């Protein structure tokens, strides 16, 4: 029997996962992340390992190493996720987010709110290079503003994620941008410039759709917005001094301070701000006079505050680091599944199916897009997906005479921006947790994320500025190979 599973056999764990997740979500609904989805991933991992060990004699140590490597690779992301949980909690209790909401409601016109939200997230994400940081900070504030103005939270989340992932995709500070360029051996700024051919049209169309959506929405009246502002003033101390914390955070980001350090400093500053400006809020959270206890609980636990508006009470409720634990658990289980697929050879077997269809430029790009999407689905991690897609298609693009920038661009169009659209992907889980909006609820409104892979195929189909390798870089042996 072959040592490598066939594509049909390799599909078995994927089908098991899809079936189990479908049954889990149908049974538990929004509570699926409380354990059902994690068990589905672990059960699928077990089936993958069982097939590999029993029928293909793949030793356990191979699986153990692959799973360990996968988990090691996301260790930093898990730490960032936990810090974001603390930051989002204390930013709310300190009054930073309420202050941003208070002033934002008075500045952003409701008709242009969704488009403005997308543009603001683009700017922040370009500066930070991180969609996660953008969504966890300004994204939460914009979500509060939009809900106060009467917008559906799924629409707001779609605008936030569209803008955040545009910046994440093209920022020279972004890890995914650097990774895609590195894996495909493309100079970073050549990669960024070439991405603009597909990225700019996608975001322009997305902004037009957000403008149309904004004008077609019956938003709350000015009186209602004033009422929300009044309730915020009654519950929190609203002052421009609180904006110092976001300003310091932006400066640290601009100076390229590592994300963990930046988020940690921002959290500490927010704790200090909470003690100075919101002592009564901290005492209410603690249930006693201890400000320290209130700060700690705001960072690690769930909190709720009573306000004159039930909707506002729901908005200012926080979950802290503890609210991220289901996501952390899910990420670990997803990494186990991705490691099992890799160690068994099933992932490579499935990728070979895509390679067989590469006969024209359009089929080459389409296969890369489909492969990137499949990687996001199968490995549940954008970093792993970028690495595997870049490595597996690099030789094909080289032999076909295409410049590496075409592969790097297509990889980002297919992987980076689609990762938050998959419920069990690390990005999908994280953004759904941070915004408290289910992945499948915001998915239809992430216009930029949906358009990007389609735009990549469309540009390939019309043949606009398809980069070829310079003749000086092609070895004579390769010319003979291409001719053959």
């Amino acid at each position: 029997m072959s040592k490598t599973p066939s594509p049909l056999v390799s599909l078995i764990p994927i089908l098991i996962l899809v079936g189990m997740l479908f049954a889990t979500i149908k049974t538990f609904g929004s509570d699926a992340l409380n354990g059902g989805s994690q068990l589905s991933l672990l059960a699928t991992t077990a089936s993958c390992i069982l097939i590999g060990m029993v029928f293909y004699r793949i030793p356990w140590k191979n699986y153990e190493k692959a799973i360990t490597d996968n988990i090691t690779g996301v260790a930093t992301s898990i730490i960032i996720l936990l810090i974001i949980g603390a930051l989002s909690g204390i930013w709310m209790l300190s009054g930073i987010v309420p202050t941003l909401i208070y002033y934002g409601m008075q500045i952003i016109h409701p008709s242009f709110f969704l488009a403005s939200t997308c543009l603001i997230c683009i700017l922040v994400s370009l500066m930070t290079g991180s969609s996660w940081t953008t969504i966890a900070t300004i994204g939460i504030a914009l979500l509060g503003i939009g809900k106060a103005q009467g917008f559906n939270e799924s629409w707001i989340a779609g605008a936030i994620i569209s803008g955040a992932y545009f910046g994440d995709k093209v920022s020279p500070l972004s890890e995914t941008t650097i990774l895609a360029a590195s894996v495909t051996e493309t100079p970073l700024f050549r990669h960024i410039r070439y991405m603009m051919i597909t990225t700019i049209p996608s975001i322009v169309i997305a902004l037009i759709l957000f403008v149309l959506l904004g004008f077609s929405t019956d938003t709350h009246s000015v009186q209602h917005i004033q009422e929300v502002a009044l309730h915020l003033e009654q519950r929190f101390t609203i002052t421009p001094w609180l904006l110092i914390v976001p300003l310091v955070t932006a400066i640290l980001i601009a100076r390229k301070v590592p994300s963990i350090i930046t988020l940690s400093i921002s959290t500490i500053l927010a704790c200090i701000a909470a003690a100075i400006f919101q002592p009564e809020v901290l005492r209410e959270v603690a249930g006693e006079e201890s400000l320290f206890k209130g700060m700690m609980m705001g960072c690690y636990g769930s909190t709720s505050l009573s306000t004159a508006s039930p909707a506002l009470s729901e908005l200012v409720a926080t979950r802290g680091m503890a609210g991220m634990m289901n996501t952390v658990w899910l990420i670990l289980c997803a990494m186990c599944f991705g490691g099992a697929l890799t160690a068994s050879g099933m992932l490579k077997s499935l990728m070979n199916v895509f390679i067989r269809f590469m006969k024209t430029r359009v089929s080459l790009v389409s296969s890369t897009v489909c492969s990137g999407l499949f990687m996001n689905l199968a490995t549940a991690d954008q970093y792993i997906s970028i690495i595997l897609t870049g490595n597996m298609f690099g030789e094909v693009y080289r032999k076909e005479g295409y410049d590496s920038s075409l592969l790097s661009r297509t990889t980002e169009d297919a992987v980076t921006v689609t990762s938050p659209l998959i419920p069990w992907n690390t990005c999908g889980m994280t953004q759904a947790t941070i915004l408290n909006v289910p992945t499948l609820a915001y998915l239809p409104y992430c216009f930029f994320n949906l358009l990007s892979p389609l735009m990549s195929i469309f540009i390939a189909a019309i043949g606009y500025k398809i980069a070829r390798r310079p003749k000086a870089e092609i070895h004579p042996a390769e010319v003979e190979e291409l001719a053959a």
Side-chain angles (χ1 to χ4, degrees), residues 49 53 58-69 339 343:
I49 294 173
M53 292 184 71
I58 299 170
W60 164 250
K61 65 179 182 180
N62 289 17
Y63 290 103
E64 191 172 23
K65 183 178 185 305
I67 291 171
T68 302
D69 289 345

Side-chain angles (χ1 to χ4, degrees), residues 31-45:
D31 294 328
L33 290 181
N34 291 341
S37 296
Q38 290 88 332
L39 285 175
S40 297
L41 281 163
L42 288 178
T44 308
T45 302

Side-chain angles (χ1 to χ4, degrees), residues 264-482:
S264 298
I265 292 174
S266 182
T267 302
I268 293 169
L269 291 176
C271 287
I272 296 171
I276 295 172
F277 295 104
Q278 317 294 343
E280 293 304 318
V281 171
L282 293 181
R283 292 189 183 101
E284 182 178 333
V285 169
E288 54 185 73
E289 289 298 312
S290 174
L291 296 182
F292 176 75
K293 183 178 179 181
M295 283 189 290
M296 294 290 283
M297 291 178 66
C299 288
Y300 76 74
S302 300
T303 66
S304 60
L305 299 171
S306 59
T307 70
S309 167
L312 186 59
S313 298
E314 182 182 348
L315 173 64
V316 299
T318 69
R319 292 172 294 164
M321 297 175 78
M324 300 293 177
M325 293 312 297
N326 279 340
T327 303
V328 171
W329 181 17
L330 194 58
I331 288 172
L332 294 174
C333 294
M335 292 303 99
C336 292
F337 177 57
L341 276 180
T342 303
S344 64
M346 293 181 181
L347 199 56
K348 185 176 181 180
S349 178
L350 289 169
M351 285 303 96
N352 288 334
V353 174
F354 291 109
I355 294 174
R356 293 174 190 170
F357 293 100
M358 297 180 188
K359 296 178 180 179
T360 65
R361 179 184 64 246
V362 178
S363 64
L364 178 64
V365 171
S366 299
S367 295
T368 309
V369 168
C370 292
S371 172
L373 287 168
F374 175 77
M375 289 289 190
N376 260 336
L377 289 163
T379 66
D381 182 78
Q382 63 174 345
Y383 299 108
I384 297 173
S385 300
I386 289 172
I387 292 170
L388 292 176
T389 303
N391 286 336
M392 296 194 73
F393 288 90
E395 187 68 12
V396 178
Y397 276 73
R398 184 186 65 80
K399 287 184 176 180
E400 293 296 328
Y402 292 107
D403 189 82
S404 61
S405 58
L406 179 60
L407 173 58
S408 63
R409 183 184 76 186
T410 308
T411 299
E412 286 240 63
D413 285 340
V415 177
T416 302
V417 298
T418 61
S419 56
L421 307 181
I422 299 165
W424 58 88
N425 190 283
T426 52
C427 293
M429 292 182 286
T430 299
Q431 310 323 339
T433 303
I434 292 173
L435 297 173
N436 199 26
V437 180
T439 307
L440 297 180
Y442 66 64
L443 186 154
Y445 307 103
C446 294
F447 299 131
F448 171 73
N449 308 67
L450 294 168
L451 285 167
S452 288
L454 298 176
M455 187 63 66
S456 193
I457 296 172
F458 174 74
I459 294 297
I462 64 176
Y464 181 70
K465 289 190 177 181
I466 298 299
R468 308 286 304 194
R469 292 176 66 196
K471 292 183 179 180
E473 294 182 8
I474 304 178
H475 192 274
E478 291 183 50
V479 176
E480 294 179 6
E481 186 177 359
L482 285 169

Side-chain angles (χ1 to χ4, degrees), residues 66-284:
I67 291 171
T68 302
D69 289 345
N70 273 9
I71 293 175
T72 301
V74 298
T76 301
S77 297
I78 289 174
I79 295 171
I80 291 174
L81 184 60
L82 291 173
I83 298 174
I84 285 174
L87 180 143
S88 60
I90 201 63
W91 266 42
M92 184 65 75
L93 297 183
S94 66
I96 294 171
V97 172
T99 297
L100 290 169
I101 294 172
Y102 179 84
Y103 291 123
M105 284 191 301
Q106 300 176 43
I107 295 171
I108 303 175
H109 191 279
S111 296
F112 296 98
F113 171 76
L114 293 175
S116 299
T117 292
C118 187
L119 285 170
I120 291 169
C121 288
I122 285 173
L123 293 174
V124 175
S125 191
L126 280 171
M127 291 190 301
T128 64
S130 170
S131 54
W132 287 24
T133 302
T134 301
I135 293 167
T137 52
I138 193 65
I140 293 176
L142 289 167
L143 183 68
I145 295 170
K147 290 174 71 174
Q149 291 185 343
F151 284 95
N152 184 298
E153 62 180 13
S154 299
W155 299 2
I156 308 167
I160 292 169
I161 291 170
S162 290
Y165 275 85
F166 173 92
D168 193 328
K169 181 184 176 187
V170 301
S171 172
L173 305 178
S174 169
E175 293 177 351
T176 56
T177 305
I178 295 169
L179 182 61
S182 301
V183 169
T184 58
E185 299 180 1
T186 306
L188 178 60
F189 287 100
R190 185 202 294 179
H191 166 60
I192 292 173
R193 286 193 300 270
Y194 197 59
M195 276 199 297
M196 294 301 176
I197 297 172
T198 57
T199 305
I200 295 299
S202 298
I203 197 63
V204 168
I205 295 172
L207 287 170
I208 292 171
L209 292 173
F210 284 127
V211 169
L212 294 175
L213 202 59
F215 274 103
S216 66
T217 304
D218 184 17
T219 56
H220 290 155
S221 64
V222 174
Q223 181 181 355
H224 177 83
I225 294 173
Q226 290 174 344
E227 289 176 0
V228 173
L230 179 62
H231 294 327
L232 285 171
E233 283 185 305
Q234 293 172 344
R235 179 70 273 190
F236 298 94
T237 299
I238 305 296
T239 169
W241 289 107
L242 285 167
L243 300 179
I244 291 175
V245 178
L247 179 62
V248 171
T249 304
I251 292 171
L252 292 172
I253 289 165
R255 295 184 65 85
K256 302 179 183 180
V257 177
S259 296
I260 291 178
I261 297 175
T262 297
L263 293 171
S264 298
I265 292 174
S266 182
T267 302
I268 293 169
L269 291 176
C271 287
I272 296 171
I276 295 172
F277 295 104
Q278 317 294 343
E280 293 304 318
V281 171
L282 293 181
R283 292 189 183 101
E284 182 178 333

